[in-house]
Amino acid sequence: MTSDWDPNFDFAQPQTFTVLDETGGDDLPDLMDNRVKNALTNAMVARGFREVADTSQADLAIGYQFTSEQRSSYQTVNTGWNSYGYGGYGGWYRYGGGPSMTTSRTTETRYDVGRLLIAIFDTEARQMVFTSTGQDELSTAQRTPQEMQQRIDDAVETILRDFPPPGM
């Protein structure tokens, strides 16, 4: 997770927020988009902000961007026997010895990584004042809607850990 913010912005002043309808990056299905927006709303309310419906009435506007990419991991395992410590007829533990019989096997594992960027804007100045990004491996396990919402809630809470910035 990485965060950045405008040190000149007074984070003690804003009291209201709205979650923007537009998103950036990969389009999420409507159910997932709604879960992310619910998680953003819940996280801001838990921090003492009040949600308003219109950007013109909000002190802060919150948007998010989701991207995903497929990555690969490789693991090589060497198996077999070599004669390094045997020494053949000359004794145990002497270098030399007979032939070597080893094999190597490399396997590839593919997995998806999702990245969620959250941006918070000062609506009056129309400038970004805070941004934070988190990423994690996307699970392929079947989950209930409640479990999916909880995972997104946890991710958003982790990403917004530094909001408002410490000491501001």
Side-chain angles (χ1 to χ4, degrees), residues 17 37-47 149 153 157:
F17 76 96
K37 289 175 179 173
N38 286 337
L40 290 169
T41 298
N42 294 339
M44 292 299 287
V45 168
R47 287 166 171 74
Q149 182 66 61
D153 289 347
E157 196 56 49

